[in-house]
Amino acid sequence: MKNKMSLLLLLTIALLLVTACTKTPKPEIGKSDQNSAEYETETPEEQAQLHLEPFTGQLSEGESTLRPVLVTINNHPLARPQSGISDADIIYEILTEGNTTRLLALFQSKLPSEIGPVRSARDTFIHLAKGFDAFYVAHGYSPDALTLLKSGYVDQVNGMQFDGTIFKRSADRKAPHNSYTSGDRLLTAAEDADVSMEIDKVPAIPFHESTESVKIGEIASTVIVQNGSDPNFTSTYVYDKDSETYEQTVNDQVTVDFANDKEIALSNILVFEAPHQTIDAEGRQAIDIEAGGKALLFHAGVVKEIQWENIDGMLTPVEDGLPVKLVPGKTWVHMIRTNPGIELNVSYTP
């Protein structure tokens, strides 16, 4: 009898062990069943929070809250190639005295370590800086520009007061083509002046999500923009279908950034026609940036005839009264004379 009970006990224990081993385990709280049809992997975009750069329309993992910095950059042939221009979100090319041009480079998504050569201010440049609520940077000034700067019209730093500190002279070039600054030194200058470098005015620039919806219109793969008859201030752009950007050459020289040897790759080329008036014996120009007027937009290998308006201080491409969408990327803006105008200053071919 004792042996039968022992055998029964052993069978009962064995049965319990088998039942325990075959029982469906409870899912752990907080863990997904990877074999479930409802399980989905995260996309790279979901894994990293992406931010839209306000002046380029490009997505970046890190959000830049930098206030726009607008720098007057020398565009004389002896100042080329310039440093920092490959990092500019937008570059304005504007006529000055002697039928030469200067560049206004707007930095917001990135502030490079070397910028220059920096050149002197004009009142038009300062008004543009005001429109962007930008920290304005120049080395020198015209009489009208000096009046504006002294009035505190914009937050700014000028090489005339900080030559040798915020602005350094390069031994490789001769003045006035050798004044350079850096992102770090500009931030130091703003801090010393108790100027906020947090962006406050975000532009309302609309952007396409891709180039596919843009490629409708007259094909313009090669574009030539003239500022007078001097080939040193005539830009030729060639569209590359693979990169979906334009390469710029001036007088048969590809535009590159001296600091990093990068070629300038542009997604949008804008040409704005504006009234110009010579105002003194030096040939300085008064440019009407309030009136608006004719404009051309080149992007994705096509051209659009549009208009431009000054909206809240910013020169804005418009169509039927609404801002025109740009292709994400960097933009170059030419301000040209109303006379002779776009028809004679701009040409393009398929």
Side-chain angles (χ1 to χ4, degrees):
M1 184 71 176
K2 184 177 180 181
N3 289 337
K4 286 182 178 180
M5 291 188 66
S6 298
L7 180 60
L8 181 60
L9 179 61
L10 289 172
L11 289 172
T12 302
I13 293 172
L15 181 61
L16 290 171
L17 288 171
V18 169
T19 303
C21 291
T22 57
K23 188 175 181 180
T24 302
K26 293 182 180 179
E28 293 184 45
I29 296 174
K31 290 190 176 181
S32 300
D33 179 4
Q34 296 190 12
N35 295 320
S36 169
E38 296 179 357
Y39 180 81
E40 295 180 359
T41 58
E42 289 185 341
T43 64
E45 288 78 13
E46 292 170 333
Q47 292 173 353
Q49 185 178 2
L50 299 180
H51 301 274
L52 188 73
E53 296 174 355
F55 291 97
T56 69
Q58 294 178 314
L59 295 173
S60 61
E61 291 187 5
E63 181 181 15
S64 173
T65 61
L66 177 70
R67 181 182 187 178
V69 175
L70 193 67
V71 185
T72 301
I73 293 184
N74 196 333
N75 196 36
H76 191 280
L78 295 177
R80 301 172 187 162
Q82 299 96 331
S83 296
I85 56 175
S86 65
D87 292 318
D89 296 341
I90 304 174
I91 291 181
Y92 291 84
E93 184 170 349
I94 301 178
L95 280 165
T96 53
E97 55 272 20
N99 291 319
T100 62
T101 65
R102 286 188 189 163
L103 308 181
L104 285 178
L106 186 141
F107 302 97
Q108 195 280 324
S109 60
K110 181 180 180 181
L111 194 54
S113 58
E114 183 177 305
I115 307 171
V118 184
R119 201 65 170 91
S120 58
R122 297 293 178 268
D123 55 333
T124 300
F125 308 165
I126 299 170
H127 286 297
L128 289 174
K130 181 70 171 181
F132 285 114
D133 187 34
F135 185 66
Y136 179 60
V137 182
H139 192 145
Y141 26 67
S142 67
D144 290 341
L146 178 58
T147 300
L148 281 174
L149 295 177
K150 281 186 173 181
S151 73
Y153 186 68
V154 292
D155 293 329
Q156 55 92 27
V157 64
N158 197 286
M160 294 296 284
Q161 288 77 47
F162 296 94
D163 199 346
T165 54
I166 302 300
F167 299 80
K168 305 282 189 179
R169 296 285 184 174
S170 169
D172 297 330
R173 297 181 182 182
K174 295 181 179 180
H177 312 300
N178 64 347
S179 175
Y180 291 81
T181 188
S182 71
D184 288 343
R185 295 203 295 273
L186 292 178
L187 293 177
T188 297
E191 183 178 1
D192 290 345
D194 196 24
V195 168
S196 172
M197 290 304 288
E198 291 286 318
I199 188 170
D200 182 57
K201 183 178 181 180
V202 179
I205 303 174
F207 290 94
H208 292 280
E209 292 185 1
S210 70
T211 60
E212 291 306 314
S213 60
V214 184
K215 296 177 181 179
I216 300 174
E218 188 174 354
I219 298 174
S221 297
T222 301
V223 183
I224 300 174
V225 182
Q226 293 180 287
N227 282 304
S229 59
D230 191 338
N232 284 307
F233 301 100
T234 296
S235 298
T236 300
Y237 300 92
V238 177
Y239 182 68
D240 181 81
K241 292 181 179 179
D242 294 330
S243 66
E244 297 185 326
T245 59
Y246 294 84
E247 174 193 78
Q248 184 194 64
T249 59
V250 178
N251 206 8
D252 296 325
Q253 296 293 314
V254 177
T255 303
V256 298
D257 190 319
F258 184 73
N260 55 28
D261 205 33
K262 286 184 181 179
E263 293 185 10
I264 305 304
L266 302 163
S267 296
N268 307 282
I269 303 158
L270 284 162
V271 185
F272 293 165
E273 192 180 281
H276 289 57
Q277 182 181 359
T278 303
I279 58 173
D280 61 21
E282 299 294 329
R284 295 188 180 97
Q285 299 295 302
I287 304 173
D288 188 345
I289 60 171
E290 299 289 339
K294 293 181 181 179
L296 291 176
L297 168 60
F298 299 89
H299 58 188
V302 298
V303 58
K304 295 188 73 173
E305 294 184 7
I306 56 172
Q307 301 283 314
W308 70 271
E309 294 180 7
N310 187 316
I311 300 178
D312 194 22
M314 295 187 186
L315 309 190
T316 307
V318 297
E319 187 175 31
D320 298 326
L322 297 175
V324 175
K325 286 186 177 181
L326 302 180
V327 170
K330 300 181 184 302
T331 299
W332 195 289
V333 183
H334 289 273
M335 297 287 294
I336 66 170
R337 292 186 177 95
T338 303
N339 185 15
I342 282 176
E343 287 79 9
L344 295 180
N345 280 98
V346 185
S347 59
Y348 49 90
T349 55

